Amino acid sequence: MAHFVIMGCGRVGATLAHTLEDAGHSVAIIDQDDRAFRRLRSGFTGRKVTGVGFDRDTLKQAGVADAYAFAAVSSGDNSNILATRVARETFHVPHVVARIYDPGRAEIYQRLGIPTVAAVRWSADQVLRRILPEQHLAGDFRDPSGRLVLAELDLHPEWVGHPVTTIEKVADVRVAYLTRFGEGMLPAAGTSYQDGDSVHAMLRADRTSEVAHILAKAPAKES
């Protein structure tokens, strides 16, 4: 079980809160208007925090210091991106995502290494893909036989600086492409994994849990 903090209790925020709680995680949801919490089902047991989502005291009330991930899905682009930066840079939350309405802004923030999701009707699903490793590995593409899946991998921070070829060898996957500063790139023979990269790889569908377990750990030290 992990702790998740959500800013914004609109339709997307409420959907995320319910989905995460159903998966067995603890959830805190923040909104400036306490009437927004009416969107939550009557049996919701998570924390409801009234306040500004980028205010540090508000974030502390929501337990952001212990959060595995933070999702800013309010109706304001500036608020979402500011809250995401505070969560990542001040409280060092390892997984963050901001919902952005302006596609031009989204591209800028992607280049700064801040994951964003466009404000589309399936945005709740896209946010989950950013903050839940098991959702990454559900895959964006499967071959017709269903045996292979193209999935976004979640790597331990100590993999930074290691060659992509080492990641492929250790996890027995084939890296298809990286997303770096918001742009896709094909890895070359000497390409190394950098902080902020998203790694997309082909792997056998029956190995998703195994691959997630391998890459969630720091790489073995060379003797």
Side-chain angles (χ1 to χ4, degrees):
M1 184 180 74
H3 182 56
F4 292 81
V5 178
I6 300 166
M7 170 187 154
C9 194
R11 184 173 59 182
V12 172
T15 299
L16 289 172
H18 294 155
T19 302
L20 291 167
E21 186 177 61
D22 288 344
H25 300 291
S26 67
V27 181
I29 188 161
I30 302 168
D31 204 286
Q32 295 184 67
D33 186 353
D34 58 7
R35 293 173 297 180
F37 299 131
R38 297 173 185 172
R39 293 188 176 91
L40 298 169
R41 61 195 177 198
S42 59
F44 179 71
T45 60
R47 207 177 310 176
K48 305 169 191 174
V49 181
T50 304
V52 178
F54 50 81
D55 176 75
R56 295 183 185 186
D57 289 335
T58 300
L59 288 168
K60 287 178 182 178
Q61 289 181 49
V64 74
D66 300 315
Y68 173 82
F70 175 82
V73 293
S74 77
S75 59
D77 284 6
N78 290 336
S79 296
N80 287 344
I81 205 65
L82 179 56
T84 302
R85 292 191 65 179
V86 172
R88 187 179 69 172
E89 297 169 13
T90 301
F91 294 99
H92 309 293
V93 179
H95 304 277
V96 298
V97 61
R99 187 187 191 198
I100 300 296
Y101 288 78
D102 183 340
R105 286 180 177 177
E107 183 177 351
I108 292 171
Y109 294 130
Q110 288 279 14
R111 288 176 177 272
L112 292 174
I114 300 171
T116 61
V117 167
V120 291
R121 62 184 176 86
W122 57 85
S123 57
D125 175 66
Q126 295 299 312
V127 169
L128 285 170
R129 284 180 178 271
R130 290 287 185 182
I131 62 177
L132 278 177
E134 59 264 35
Q135 292 291 325
H136 286 334
L137 291 173
D140 295 315
F141 168 81
R142 286 178 181 259
D143 79 303
S145 72
R147 294 185 61 214
L148 300 177
V149 61
L150 175 64
E152 184 177 343
L153 306 181
D154 197 55
L155 284 77
H156 189 282
E158 290 190 22
W159 279 104
V160 170
H162 286 258
V164 168
T165 51
T166 301
I167 296 170
E168 291 181 320
K169 182 178 179 180
V170 170
D172 192 18
V173 300
R174 179 65 58 84
V175 174
Y177 68 98
L178 305 176
T179 302
R180 180 172 293 172
F181 302 121
E183 295 186 354
M185 61 173 287
L186 295 175
T191 301
S192 294
Y193 172 59
Q194 294 185 9
D195 187 23
D197 284 356
S198 295
V199 181
H200 309 265
M202 294 297 300
L203 60 146
R204 284 198 349 232
D206 61 359
R207 294 191 62 248
T208 55
S209 296
E210 180 187 355
V211 169
H213 180 71
I214 291 170
L215 296 178
K217 297 187 296 184
K221 302 291 185 182
E222 295 184 5
S223 56

